[in-house]
Amino acid sequence: MAGETNLSKLLKGMTPKLNKGSYVFVTVTDPSVVERSNTLCEFKEAESTTLIIKQQKADELLLKYDYVASWISLEIHSSLDAVGLTAAFSNALSEHNISCNVVAAYYHDHIFVNKNDAEKAMNILSKFSD
């Protein structure tokens, strides 16, 4: 099933969902130090591998991090070919001094914002579908 590419439909139907928990970005040279079932996202870079995991798991494994995030999922099935969705919500968040780290997966876009900005970000994102 192909995802939506129409920007108007994407913005109107994106319906942000705040997932429970606190998430952190950690870097490891050996990703096997974290069981795959505990890894939300993994990205291999030249310097090391970045993992997004729950803060509690990072603390248990004594992994260092310096950014605690909330995870917001956009509930519309967006196409990987869609143009403008990331720009629209990142611009809206930046106007309120909220940084966002975006992961585009096959079905949905996922936004990680500073834990302290989660409610404010949800209010801003919800206005797109009002």
Side-chain angles (χ1 to χ4, degrees):
M1 178 174 158
E4 183 61 61
T5 58
N6 180 289
L7 182 58
S8 304
K9 290 181 182 178
L10 286 167
L11 293 172
K12 212 57 170 143
M14 67 183 200
T15 315
K17 174 190 164 202
L18 181 61
N19 296 286
K20 292 180 181 178
S22 298
Y23 297 84
V24 297
F25 290 62
V26 299
T27 62
V28 294
T29 52
D30 178 11
S32 69
V33 298
V34 179
E35 290 181 31
R36 191 156 212 114
S37 62
N38 292 312
T39 302
L40 182 62
C41 183
E42 175 180 321
F43 197 92
K44 186 182 279 189
E45 299 180 278
E47 300 86 355
S48 66
T49 300
T50 298
L51 304 175
I52 303 174
I53 62 175
K54 286 191 173 185
Q55 181 183 16
Q56 179 182 351
K57 182 52 68 176
D59 291 342
E60 287 173 17
L61 296 172
L62 304 175
L63 296 172
K64 294 180 185 178
Y65 54 87
D66 52 26
Y67 177 77
V68 180
S70 287
W71 167 27
I72 300 171
S73 298
L74 302 182
E75 294 292 291
I76 192 162
H77 179 186
S78 56
S79 170
L80 291 169
D81 284 330
V83 175
L85 178 61
T86 303
F89 67 70
S90 66
N91 283 335
L93 293 172
S94 71
E95 288 173 4
H96 293 87
N97 204 34
I98 298 174
S99 69
C100 64
N101 297 280
V102 182
V103 175
Y106 186 83
Y107 291 103
H108 306 284
D109 289 275
H110 304 275
I111 308 167
F112 294 86
V113 299
N114 187 292
K115 188 76 176 169
N116 297 326
D117 293 327
E119 290 304 319
K120 188 175 176 183
M122 284 294 293
N123 289 332
I124 293 163
L125 296 171
S126 294
K127 288 180 182 173
F128 281 101
S129 54
D130 286 347

